[in-house]
Amino acid sequence: MKDSILITLILLLSIPKVANAQDWHPGDTLNIVKTDSIRISDFRDNIIDYTGQDLVDATFPNSWPLFGTKARMAIGGYVKLDYIQDFDGGYNRFQYEIQNVPVDGDGRPAQSGYMNLHARESRINFDIRSINEVGRPYQIFIELDFYNLDRGPFNQTPRLRHAYGVMGRLLIGRTWGTQSDLFAVPSTIDFAAGDALTGTRRAQVRWEDKLGSKFMYALALEMLEFPGIDGRDTVGQASQQLPLLTGRITKKTASGGRLFLGASVFQLRWDGLGIIPNATAMGWGFSFSGREYFGAKNHYFRWMTSYGQGWGSQIVATIGTESSAIVTPQGNLEQMPALNIGGGFGFRILNTLIANLNSNFYSIDPSQYKTGYDMKAGMSGHANLIWSPIKSLNTGIEYMIVQRTNVNESKGTGRRAQLMIKYLF
């Protein structure tokens, strides 16, 4: 079975590029700047999901017809090798998340700096697009990478990033959440991207459409995969009974950028497993983010901010730290307010050379029941230079400084340098 899958992939990859001469061109990814003259993506090679006529009107490069059907297919992705030089003993050797900054006296074993060389961020995607018999565009998209960090340092099994289908304006599957703004994600070499970001990839059902001539809106039901409830020493587990309800409004700007306003409401629930009473509370949050180009559209400024109650589950920095709510000694569920704010610049020095400066900050208002060494706030700064010496090849260097603050005001700072080389296909 494995051999047959491998042979199939080899045959698909060997299909000649002359198939691109076919004249049907539905949608593309955010890699819109990847041309002969401009070879570095402003969007960190993330994929944007198109719906409706937008899926048809964009181009679909490097695709070929699936013979016997009206569909076309493309295989994309990249191979990326990262060299990391850690100076302060951060606890994640593959990406620098705020929660993994060492803090003296917090009970975690101290370690010295180290190096790491890995290719986990490498990814591959399969993109199939067509138009059905009534003229409605559809798409099936699947993407994998190798960031399974819970399976040992050298066990690089594939991990599902995206798996969704689009039919007209309806999207069903797993991809970036509706309140995740890819236009506002910082362009970093480090995979965590400063991680004070709003939203994650999640399973969902989403409807998106135009709102007049200048705006788009989207509404969705999504799975809250990381509720972030701190059960302390109580019996039970986080268990939702309702999906997350979310929506957004976006507007394209004259510079080619975008404004983004989003909101979510969701249930936080602790299941006492029949031993203690169940507890529920409502979480909510708003976000405002975007990107604006300047300097003849060569450079851009990005920003991202959000605030909410029980909102820790929506900020990437807090995933795994149980920062949305806590089960009190009285058996109630107490939500904790949270916010994040970030900004950055991208400067296109040449068509083949970009400099990026980014900073992110997040904070929660912790419950009185949180312990002193629980994480309360954090910030990160990244500066990098990315160069494309030849087409489809990017290389770069980045320096980052990351800080963690705990409830008892103890702090730690981590520093890293990271080099990368990436081949895009």
Side-chain angles (χ1 to χ4, degrees), residues 230-423:
D230 188 347
R232 309 310 294 171
D233 297 323
T234 61
V235 176
Q237 62 184 14
S239 178
Q240 317 306 111
Q241 288 185 323
L242 297 170
L244 176 147
L245 174 63
T246 182
R248 72 185 184 209
I249 296 176
T250 60
K251 179 188 177 183
K252 292 182 180 179
T253 65
S255 75
R258 189 175 75 167
L259 303 178
F260 182 110
L261 181 64
S264 294
V265 61
F266 50 93
Q267 180 193 58
L268 295 170
R269 177 176 176 270
W270 186 257
D271 188 335
L273 304 179
I275 301 173
I276 64 172
N278 300 336
T280 61
M282 185 182 76
W284 56 266
F286 297 91
S287 64
F288 176 60
S289 57
R291 173 191 295 242
E292 277 294 296
Y293 288 90
F294 62 94
K297 300 185 179 181
N298 287 321
H299 320 301
Y300 68 87
F301 169 68
R302 54 149 291 265
W303 72 94
M304 176 183 292
T305 183
S306 72
Y307 176 81
Q309 187 78 4
W311 193 240
S313 57
Q314 307 291 327
I315 300 175
V316 174
T318 70
I319 290 177
T321 65
E322 300 175 331
S323 298
S324 296
I326 188 169
V327 181
T328 69
Q330 296 76 33
N332 300 318
L333 203 55
E334 179 188 340
Q335 313 102 304
M336 290 175 281
L339 67 88
N340 71 306
I341 185 169
F345 290 91
F347 299 100
R348 190 174 295 279
I349 302 168
L350 301 168
N351 287 336
T352 58
L353 183 66
I354 290 180
N356 295 286
L357 299 172
N358 290 283
S359 181
N360 293 287
F361 169 81
Y362 98 93
S363 176
I364 65 169
D365 184 5
S367 163
Q368 62 177 314
Y369 301 110
K370 296 293 280 185
T371 62
Y373 284 107
D374 286 338
M375 188 171 66
K376 181 179 76 170
M379 62 183 298
S380 65
H382 294 72
N384 65 50
L385 196 63
I386 301 175
W387 176 48
S388 176
I390 60 175
K391 187 178 179 181
S392 298
L393 184 70
N394 292 344
T395 186
I397 184 169
E398 178 170 277
Y399 179 78
M400 67 196 83
I401 184 166
V402 186
Q403 185 179 82
R404 167 178 169 153
T405 302
N406 292 329
V407 173
N408 62 7
E409 299 300 330
S410 61
K411 296 182 179 180
T413 300
R415 300 161 299 143
R416 274 186 184 174
Q418 186 163 339
L419 293 87
M420 69 96 174
I421 185 166
K422 177 166 63 175
Y423 174 76

Side-chain angles (χ1 to χ4, degrees), residues 175-191:
T175 188
W176 287 105
T178 303
Q179 209 170 336
S180 302
D181 185 3
L182 297 188
F183 279 69
V185 173
S187 295
T188 66
I189 294 175
D190 171 52
F191 187 68

